[in-house]
Amino acid sequence: MNKLTGAALYRPGLGVKQFTCTKRTSIDFQIDSKSLLQLLDKASNIRTDMVGCFVKGEGRRNEDSAERLRMLSEPDTPSGRTILYCCAECFDLGCGAYSALISKTDQVYVWRHFAYEDYTDEVEMIAGVGPFSFVIDEYEEFINSLASF
């Protein structure tokens, strides 16, 4: 079994002439005390400007993410994967996102088949990350706590 926790992922704001970046604080999933975002960036050889799917002050969006991660609503990508990290500006899949297939048995949730994807037909699978298994009660308690982040 793996242990799922979270750490603050801070993206500083920036405003230079016509270029702006919105300041954001989100949750970086930590799996066995390792940043999932860093694992995905390294394995995909991409350096992203993404935020976690739980962003401070994004009420309804966070509730929707919690529902998808608990498999209470449909995944949010055409590939059937659930977004874990997305564009820090608009949260849109079109800018690219890291996602995973999520499944559930009587005892565990499993995150597997991680990918980088957008609205194109091509999903870039990320080798060497996961699968990760989480005890149901601990997982749901953690995910529920993030719904009001």
Side-chain angles (χ1 to χ4, degrees):
M1 282 304 131
N2 300 101
K3 178 71 174 172
L4 180 64
T5 58
L9 178 60
Y10 179 71
R11 178 194 194 235
L14 173 67
V16 179
K17 294 186 182 179
Q18 297 170 339
F19 180 78
T20 61
C21 291
T22 306
K23 179 172 80 170
R24 303 257 191 237
T25 301
S26 67
I27 296 296
D28 183 9
F29 294 111
Q30 305 287 301
I31 300 178
D32 301 330
S33 301
K34 294 180 183 167
S35 164
L36 179 58
L37 181 59
Q38 289 177 4
L39 291 173
L40 293 169
D41 279 352
K42 184 176 181 181
S44 66
N45 205 22
I46 298 172
R47 175 60 188 117
T48 64
D49 181 26
M50 292 191 197
V51 293
C53 62
F54 294 101
V55 179
K56 189 166 188 71
E58 289 294 321
R60 185 67 222 164
R61 183 180 311 279
N62 292 339
E63 292 169 16
D64 290 346
S65 291
E67 287 181 11
R68 284 190 291 273
L69 289 169
R70 291 187 333 256
M71 300 182 67
L72 299 175
S73 62
E74 294 296 314
D76 45 359
T77 67
S79 70
R81 287 176 175 73
T82 298
I83 292 174
L84 302 174
Y85 298 94
C86 58
C87 173
E89 284 299 315
C90 65
F91 312 118
D92 191 88
L93 177 62
C95 295
Y98 284 135
S99 60
L101 286 178
I102 298 176
S103 60
K104 179 182 174 184
T105 69
D106 290 340
Q107 299 175 355
V108 297
Y109 281 89
V110 178
W111 290 5
R112 60 187 162 80
H113 301 295
F114 291 87
Y116 177 85
E117 60 184 300
D118 54 25
Y119 283 126
T120 65
D121 290 334
E122 292 186 32
V123 174
E124 297 176 34
M125 298 304 298
I126 301 172
V129 178
F132 302 110
S133 299
F134 310 107
V135 175
I136 285 180
D137 293 341
E138 293 173 7
Y139 177 91
E140 289 181 349
E141 182 178 339
F142 175 65
I143 296 301
N144 288 339
S145 75
L146 297 176
S148 60
F149 179 66

